[in-house]
Amino acid sequence: QAKGTKSAKRRLKKLSGRENRWMTDVNHRLSKTLVQKFGSNTLFVLEDLTGVSFERTDLPKALRNQNKSWAFYQLAQFLTYKARLNNSEVIEISAQYTSQRCPKCGTIKKSNRNHDLHEYHCSNCGYRSNDDRLGAMNIQLLGTQYISGQEQPKFELTTNA
């Protein structure tokens, strides 16, 4: 690469699209598998990850952007068109508070989540769970609210006066 020879440029061009082709293939396979596994008339509920940062300041500078390269948008697009072909639907819901809300009592408190241990512990009712599992449970609840007729379900932080 440093010498700029013709063979080096050819090699770089060949490598340049490899990751994108691999990610596209993974997204196609995953979306196809989901639609086939759950069949028709299924509601797929995804978090709207627009503007969400996957910054990893604990990694060396050279590796920090690797997490940002995953094609969440592309996966959502593939899943959406394949679901429609199978009489299913995909909705995107707000990601706000999905990993901070207790599914048992509804308390929203940021300090209840321990990022380092991937654990959620509700200070109000004592409920404990993995924080990713908790987020999935809350996303499922928002999907249920959508099915019940709420057009844009989301969690909101309420202040007790």
Side-chain angles (χ1 to χ4, degrees):
Q1 179 179 356
K3 292 181 181 179
T5 62
K6 201 173 193 179
S7 62
K9 289 179 183 177
R10 238 189 334 248
R11 179 82 174 134
L12 286 173
K13 187 175 181 180
K14 183 179 176 185
L15 292 173
S16 68
R18 184 180 287 175
E19 182 182 6
N20 287 337
R21 288 190 305 271
W22 174 79
M23 288 172 56
T24 300
D25 181 57
V26 169
N27 284 336
H28 266 300
R29 289 174 188 236
L30 181 57
S31 58
K32 180 180 178 181
T33 300
L34 287 169
V35 170
Q36 285 178 341
K37 179 174 175 53
F38 293 103
S40 61
N41 302 315
T42 299
L43 176 66
F44 294 97
V45 184
L46 304 176
E47 282 183 316
D48 181 5
L49 297 176
T50 305
V52 174
S53 174
F54 295 96
E55 186 178 327
R56 298 288 310 264
T57 54
D58 57 330
L59 293 174
K61 278 188 178 181
L63 300 175
R64 285 186 190 163
N65 288 330
Q66 285 185 349
N67 277 352
K68 292 182 180 181
S69 67
W70 190 260
F72 293 111
Y73 176 78
Q74 184 186 60
L75 175 61
Q77 295 302 304
F78 289 168
L79 185 61
T80 300
Y81 92 77
K82 290 177 184 184
R84 284 188 184 143
L85 292 174
N86 203 26
N87 294 325
S88 293
E89 186 177 357
V90 175
I91 64 165
E92 288 188 353
I93 51 100
S94 171
Q96 196 170 26
Y97 305 121
T98 55
S99 59
Q100 297 175 16
R101 182 187 173 278
C102 177
K104 195 169 184 183
C105 68
T107 299
I108 297 175
K109 193 171 181 185
K110 191 174 187 174
S111 62
N112 286 344
R113 182 177 180 204
N114 185 331
H115 286 277
D116 296 331
L117 298 176
H118 295 285
E119 185 179 58
Y120 177 88
H121 182 234
C122 182
S123 59
N124 188 42
C125 71
Y127 178 79
R128 279 184 186 263
S129 184
N130 173 278
D131 59 357
D132 292 328
R133 181 174 184 268
L134 175 92
M137 292 167 68
N138 283 320
I139 291 168
Q140 180 187 19
L141 176 63
L142 291 173
T144 303
Q145 290 175 0
Y146 177 83
I147 289 171
S148 298
Q150 192 173 344
E151 283 190 36
Q152 293 183 330
K154 63 181 179 179
F155 297 122
E156 295 185 42
L157 188 61
T158 57
T159 55
N160 296 334

